[in-house]
Amino acid sequence: MKTKNSFKPALAVVCFAAFGLILLAPSKASLQTVRPEAPGPADLSGGEAFKDVLNPKMDYVLAKLYDIDRVEGADRARAFAAQRGVEMDVHGVRIEVESSAQNAALGLFPESQAVKSRVQSLGGFVERIHKNLVQGRLPIPALDALSSSPSVRYVRVPLRPAPLAEIVSEGVAVTGADLWQSVSAYRNTGGGTKVAVLDAGFTGYQALLGTELPSAVTAKSFRADGNLAAEVHGTACAEIVHDMAPNARLWLVNSGSLAELYDAVEYLVEEGVKVISYSMGWWNAGDGKGTGPVCDVVDYAAENGILWVNSAGNSAEDHWEGTFADSDNDGWLNFSGGDEILQWWVPAYTVTGAYVNWDDWGTWNGSNYSGSSQDYDITLYYYTGGQWKVATSSQNMQTGNQWPVEQVGDYYGNAGMWWGLAIKKYSATRNCKLEVFTYGNSDPIEYNVPQGSLLIPSDSPSALTVGASDWRDDSYHSYSSRGPTHNGADKPDISAPSGVSTSTYGAAAGPIAGWPSFALMPSAFYGTSASAPCAAGAAALFLEKTPFTPEQTAAVLKARAVDLGDPGADYKFGRGRLNLKKK
Amino acid sequence: MKKSLALGLAVLILASFAPAAKRLGLAAGYAKQLGSGFGGGLAAGLSFGFELTPMFAVEARAGLITSSVSGSPTGLSKGSMTLTPLTVALTARFGKGSKLVPYGVLGAGYSANSFKVDPGVKSDWTGLGLTLSESVKGGLIVLAGGGVDYLLKPGPKPGQGVFLNVEIRYLMGKADGSWSLTDTAGGEEAAGVLDGLDLSSLVFGVGLKYGF
């Protein structure tokens, strides 16, 4: 177990929820600063299979929710929903339905209308439809009936991206953008480039208009609740784009679910946007080879002449991947020797959990994957009283038609503690290559494998994928997700300055003597979240001043990058640090 | 066009051996470019003509016109333009035998053109790691104009001697161009064409002609 302080962004979210399996009332006295010894290797031999009888067309969390509601009542179901981050209100639970893909090859999705009718007939309502995706709310007792409809392929809790923060403006001088800002445009009469910051939210952006942001921006929310101020993260990203390209015209657009993301990007295409800055990442939303529903959105943007600039992710230290191995034949994955639990340290009040997927996605046909028949399940543990205790598990069915994914979270403790993950082969004919992403850990996870830790859609060949380097000295930020993609493609494409100043997060401080970790440093905007808008702003500036196309601009940014790390392209820095100066 | 010019030139060379009166001229002046973004510049020309009839003559002229270009986002960048018009024209003279002979000309030809981007602009882009290049192709031109020949020093025969010449010519022509901006780091190039650049000009000239 590595215990050194990491150079990692605080992705921590302080949670004030009032209940949960392992939650205690917050108390000052329980804020531990001394970390207990890491637990030794764990053998889970004898553990029983915990898979319930599930409807294979429903994800584990919804199936469990349905079961709890039926057996234990609505109050307990609401508690479970809150604990698992499932959105609920008086209309029911928010769901994402994939309709059957009949005529999908023709781009037609008539079954989505059938799903809409079925949702309405079951007392729910539909918020949004995009191709085969239907997003809406449904009373919990109706979940089983909906998923049994022949028009339904799969029902799940909506996939959500995560902001890749928290981690500006020093990037302007470092990259040479200041040299370009005063140059007259060549053969470009359009004025500032249209740039969209597509993010989770833009809290407080109005107060920055005319100073840290242009005097006027176009702001629009595609969230079902219309809440543009759901997050502050996007405001900081927009600041960086504006710092790099002061004349750029900004669209501040937020979305949450996949269907909302599709609609947001269709809107941006109609608006004639040329660059999209996306400092968000998705787990379990694709095979890591540049396909899947989120990468599909990126491809759509690129086909319409948009340069999509994406954060690589901040997950290099939160990632493990390897082929299933079970040396003691007990059905549980042995991460190393006899150790069957992958562990990580989580500070108090920091939400944690894990995402697992494996290489059995099938073929992406433009609207979905053909599906997985290799069934693995996962269990989340916490370490207390000298032993591992089960927090929760995830037991999605993989019977040939579902995605090869499991997810556990969002848990936290009122004291720092060790958390662990175990993976069980439930029904599989081969040893799949598994991939684990954790969140909430303050240090690198045990058996950390930084390679291949790209988040979706940074694996897309249509995206300009940006890793993080330090603005002071071009050093690699250890959290910055590394390539390659799961099909061996070089990523990230470039790196760009991180740890920079924004009015949203504060000014960047120089290295502070004796300070234990950059993660704990006050202020500054760290993470590939800060790097992506720096590259997006550079692209916008280049497009404003020259007649190059967005696609050519991406090629220019790659060619001009200052080589860092291993000579040539590497999996940490890509082609090197973003550079607009003459090379 | 080039064949026509070659043919015209051949006719002129042959005609120069004919017994008809001939005239060699040298002129300089000012050219006002009529196309948007073009400034004025110097003009010069060397001409050779011979009489077809007492009233009509054929004249061949090689000219040189310079012009400054202020630059526009859709046309040429700031820089300097050089036009080299080669023309053949029919000249009609009125009042032959008097000291003051007004005349009119109508002709056509080909202008070889070249354009140089302003060194400052070019070096701005070079400093940013980009190579800027712009060029203008040659193009057909037609001309119309008029002037006056004033006999300064009579020769042994009528029509011979040294003449002071003042004239105005309208040259009408368009040409296509091209541009490119190339990133020196990776070779990525943005390029395009400039269709139908208006290179028309009014040329005011003063010169001397020698008739023999």
Coordinates of all heavy atoms in Angstrom, one line a residue, chain A residues 270-313:
Chain A
E270 N -26.1 23.5 -33.8 CA -27.0 24.5 -34.5 C -26.6 26.0 -34.2 O -26.7 26.8 -35.1 CB -28.5 24.4 -33.9 CG -29.2 23.1 -34.4 CD -30.5 22.9 -33.6 OE1 -30.9 23.8 -32.9 OE2 -31.0 21.8 -33.8
E271 N -25.9 26.2 -33.1 CA -25.4 27.6 -32.8 C -24.1 27.9 -33.5 O -23.7 29.0 -33.4 CB -25.2 27.7 -31.3 CG -26.5 27.7 -30.5 CD -27.3 28.9 -30.6 OE1 -26.9 30.0 -30.2 OE2 -28.4 28.8 -31.2
G272 N -23.6 26.9 -34.2 CA -22.3 27.2 -35.0 C -21.1 27.2 -34.1 O -20.1 27.8 -34.5
V273 N -21.1 26.6 -33.0 CA -20.0 26.5 -32.1 C -18.8 25.8 -32.8 O -19.1 24.8 -33.5 CB -20.4 25.9 -30.7 CG1 -19.1 25.4 -30.0 CG2 -21.2 26.9 -29.9
K274 N -17.6 26.2 -32.6 CA -16.4 25.6 -33.2 C -15.6 24.8 -32.3 O -14.8 23.9 -32.7 CB -15.6 26.7 -33.9 CG -16.2 27.3 -35.1 CD -16.5 26.3 -36.2 CE -17.3 26.9 -37.3 NZ -18.0 25.8 -38.1
V275 N -15.6 25.1 -31.0 CA -14.8 24.4 -30.0 C -15.7 24.1 -28.8 O -16.5 24.9 -28.3 CB -13.6 25.2 -29.5 CG1 -12.8 24.5 -28.5 CG2 -12.7 25.6 -30.7
I276 N -15.6 22.8 -28.3 CA -16.3 22.5 -27.1 C -15.2 22.1 -26.1 O -14.4 21.2 -26.4 CB -17.3 21.3 -27.3 CG1 -18.5 21.8 -28.1 CG2 -17.7 20.8 -25.9 CD1 -19.5 20.7 -28.4
S277 N -15.3 22.7 -24.9 CA -14.4 22.4 -23.8 C -15.2 21.5 -22.8 O -16.1 22.0 -22.3 CB -13.9 23.7 -23.2 OG -13.0 23.3 -22.1
Y278 N -14.7 20.3 -22.6 CA -15.5 19.4 -21.8 C -14.5 18.8 -20.7 O -13.7 17.9 -21.0 CB -16.0 18.2 -22.7 CG -17.1 17.4 -22.0 CD1 -18.3 17.9 -21.6 CD2 -16.9 16.0 -21.8 CE1 -19.2 17.1 -21.0 CE2 -17.8 15.2 -21.2 CZ -19.0 15.8 -20.8 OH -20.0 15.0 -20.2
S279 N -14.6 19.4 -19.5 CA -13.8 18.9 -18.4 C -14.6 18.0 -17.6 O -14.7 18.1 -16.3 CB -13.3 20.1 -17.6 OG -12.4 20.9 -18.3
M280 N -15.2 17.0 -18.2 CA -16.0 16.0 -17.5 C -15.5 14.6 -17.9 O -15.0 14.4 -19.0 CB -17.5 16.2 -17.8 CG -18.0 17.6 -17.6 SD -18.4 18.0 -15.9 CE -19.9 17.0 -15.7
G281 N -15.8 13.7 -17.1 CA -15.5 12.3 -17.4 C -16.5 11.3 -17.0 O -17.2 11.6 -15.9
W282 N -16.7 10.3 -17.7 CA -17.7 9.2 -17.3 C -17.0 7.9 -17.0 O -16.0 7.6 -17.7 CB -18.7 9.0 -18.5 CG -19.4 10.2 -19.0 CD1 -18.9 11.3 -19.5 CD2 -20.9 10.4 -18.9 NE1 -20.0 12.2 -19.8 CE2 -21.2 11.6 -19.5 CE3 -21.9 9.6 -18.4 CZ2 -22.5 12.1 -19.6 CZ3 -23.2 10.1 -18.5 CH2 -23.5 11.3 -19.1
W283 N -17.5 7.3 -16.0 CA -17.1 5.9 -15.8 C -18.1 4.9 -16.3 O -19.3 5.2 -16.4 CB -16.9 5.7 -14.3 CG -15.9 6.4 -13.6 CD1 -14.5 6.3 -13.7 CD2 -16.0 7.5 -12.6 NE1 -13.9 7.1 -12.9 CE2 -14.8 7.9 -12.2 CE3 -17.2 8.2 -12.1 CZ2 -14.6 8.9 -11.3 CZ3 -17.0 9.2 -11.1 CH2 -15.7 9.5 -10.7
N284 N -17.6 3.8 -16.7 CA -18.5 2.7 -17.1 C -19.5 3.1 -18.3 O -20.6 2.6 -18.4 CB -19.4 2.2 -15.9 CG -18.7 1.3 -15.0 OD1 -17.5 1.1 -15.2 ND2 -19.3 0.9 -13.9
A285 N -19.0 4.0 -19.1 CA -19.9 4.5 -20.2 C -19.3 4.1 -21.6 O -19.7 4.7 -22.6 CB -20.1 6.0 -20.1
G286 N -18.4 3.1 -21.6 CA -17.9 2.7 -22.9 C -16.7 1.7 -22.7 O -16.3 1.5 -21.5
D287 N -16.3 1.2 -23.8 CA -15.3 0.1 -23.7 C -13.8 0.7 -23.6 O -12.9 -0.1 -23.6 CB -15.4 -0.8 -24.9 CG -15.2 -0.1 -26.2 OD1 -14.9 1.1 -26.2 OD2 -15.3 -0.8 -27.3
G288 N -13.7 2.0 -23.6 CA -12.3 2.6 -23.6 C -11.6 2.5 -24.9 O -10.4 2.7 -24.9
K289 N -12.3 2.2 -25.9 CA -11.7 2.1 -27.3 C -12.3 3.2 -28.2 O -12.2 3.1 -29.4 CB -12.0 0.7 -27.9 CG -11.4 -0.4 -27.1 CD -11.8 -1.8 -27.7 CE -11.2 -2.9 -26.9 NZ -11.7 -4.2 -27.4
G290 N -12.9 4.2 -27.6 CA -13.4 5.3 -28.4 C -14.8 5.0 -29.0 O -15.3 5.8 -29.8
T291 N -15.5 4.0 -28.4 CA -16.9 3.8 -28.9 C -17.8 4.0 -27.6 O -17.3 4.1 -26.5 CB -17.1 2.4 -29.5 OG1 -16.8 1.4 -28.5 CG2 -16.2 2.2 -30.7
G292 N -19.1 3.9 -27.9 CA -20.1 4.0 -26.8 C -20.9 5.3 -27.0 O -20.6 6.1 -27.8
P293 N -21.9 5.4 -26.1 CA -22.8 6.5 -26.3 C -22.2 7.9 -26.1 O -22.6 8.9 -26.8 CB -23.9 6.3 -25.2 CG -23.3 5.4 -24.3 CD -22.3 4.5 -25.0
V294 N -21.3 8.1 -25.2 CA -20.7 9.4 -24.9 C -19.7 9.7 -26.1 O -19.7 10.8 -26.6 CB -20.0 9.4 -23.6 CG1 -19.5 10.9 -23.3 CG2 -20.9 9.0 -22.5
C295 N -18.9 8.7 -26.5 CA -18.0 8.9 -27.6 C -18.8 9.2 -28.9 O -18.3 9.9 -29.8 CB -17.0 7.7 -27.8 SG -15.8 7.6 -26.5
D296 N -20.0 8.6 -28.9 CA -20.8 8.9 -30.1 C -21.2 10.4 -30.2 O -21.2 10.9 -31.3 CB -22.1 8.1 -29.9 CG -22.9 7.9 -31.2 OD1 -22.3 7.8 -32.2 OD2 -24.1 7.8 -31.1
V297 N -21.4 11.0 -29.0 CA -21.7 12.5 -29.0 C -20.5 13.2 -29.5 O -20.6 14.2 -30.3 CB -22.0 12.9 -27.6 CG1 -22.3 14.4 -27.5 CG2 -23.2 12.1 -27.0
V298 N -19.3 12.8 -29.1 CA -18.0 13.5 -29.6 C -17.9 13.3 -31.1 O -17.5 14.3 -31.8 CB -16.8 12.9 -28.8 CG1 -15.5 13.6 -29.3 CG2 -17.0 13.1 -27.3
D299 N -18.1 12.1 -31.6 CA -18.1 11.9 -33.0 C -19.0 12.8 -33.8 O -18.7 13.4 -34.8 CB -18.4 10.4 -33.4 CG -17.3 9.5 -32.9 OD1 -16.2 10.0 -32.7 OD2 -17.5 8.3 -32.8
Y300 N -20.2 12.9 -33.2 CA -21.3 13.8 -33.8 C -20.8 15.2 -33.9 O -20.9 15.9 -34.9 CB -22.6 13.7 -33.0 CG -23.6 14.7 -33.5 CD1 -24.4 14.5 -34.6 CD2 -23.9 15.8 -32.7 CE1 -25.3 15.4 -35.0 CE2 -24.8 16.7 -33.1 CZ -25.6 16.5 -34.2 OH -26.5 17.4 -34.6
A301 N -20.2 15.7 -32.8 CA -19.7 17.1 -32.8 C -18.6 17.2 -33.9 O -18.6 18.2 -34.6 CB -19.1 17.4 -31.4
A302 N -17.7 16.3 -33.9 CA -16.6 16.3 -34.9 C -17.1 16.3 -36.3 O -16.6 17.0 -37.2 CB -15.6 15.2 -34.7
E303 N -18.1 15.5 -36.6 CA -18.7 15.4 -37.9 C -19.3 16.8 -38.3 O -19.4 17.0 -39.5 CB -19.8 14.3 -38.0 CG -19.2 12.9 -38.0 CD -20.3 11.9 -37.5 OE1 -21.5 12.3 -37.5 OE2 -19.9 10.7 -37.3
N304 N -19.6 17.6 -37.4 CA -20.2 18.9 -37.6 C -19.2 20.0 -37.5 O -19.5 21.2 -37.2 CB -21.4 19.1 -36.7 CG -22.6 18.3 -37.2 OD1 -23.3 18.7 -38.1 ND2 -22.8 17.1 -36.6
G305 N -17.9 19.6 -37.6 CA -16.9 20.6 -37.7 C -16.5 21.2 -36.3 O -15.9 22.3 -36.3
I306 N -16.8 20.6 -35.2 CA -16.4 21.1 -33.9 C -15.2 20.4 -33.4 O -15.1 19.1 -33.5 CB -17.6 20.9 -32.9 CG1 -18.8 21.8 -33.3 CG2 -17.2 21.2 -31.5 CD1 -20.0 21.5 -32.5
L307 N -14.3 21.1 -32.8 CA -13.1 20.5 -32.1 C -13.6 20.3 -30.7 O -13.9 21.2 -29.9 CB -11.9 21.4 -32.2 CG -10.7 21.0 -31.3 CD1 -10.2 19.6 -31.7 CD2 -9.6 22.1 -31.4
W308 N -13.6 19.0 -30.3 CA -14.0 18.6 -28.9 C -12.7 18.5 -28.1 O -11.9 17.6 -28.4 CB -14.8 17.3 -29.0 CG -15.3 16.9 -27.6 CD1 -14.6 16.4 -26.6 CD2 -16.7 16.9 -27.2 NE1 -15.4 16.1 -25.5 CE2 -16.7 16.4 -25.9 CE3 -17.9 17.2 -27.9 CZ2 -17.9 16.2 -25.2 CZ3 -19.1 17.0 -27.2 CH2 -19.1 16.5 -25.8
V309 N -12.5 19.3 -27.1 CA -11.3 19.2 -26.2 C -11.8 18.6 -24.9 O -12.6 19.1 -24.2 CB -10.7 20.6 -26.0 CG1 -9.4 20.5 -25.2 CG2 -10.4 21.3 -27.4
N310 N -11.1 17.5 -24.5 CA -11.6 16.8 -23.4 C -10.5 16.5 -22.4 O -9.3 16.2 -22.7 CB -12.1 15.4 -23.8 CG -13.2 14.9 -22.9 OD1 -14.4 14.9 -23.3 ND2 -12.9 14.4 -21.7
S311 N -10.8 16.7 -21.1 CA -9.9 16.3 -20.0 C -9.6 14.9 -20.1 O -10.5 14.1 -20.3 CB -10.5 16.6 -18.7 OG -10.8 18.0 -18.5
A312 N -8.3 14.5 -19.8 CA -8.0 13.1 -19.8 C -8.6 12.4 -18.6 O -9.0 11.2 -18.7 CB -6.5 12.9 -19.7
G313 N -8.8 13.1 -17.5 CA -9.3 12.5 -16.3 C -8.3 12.7 -15.2 O -7.1 12.9 -15.5

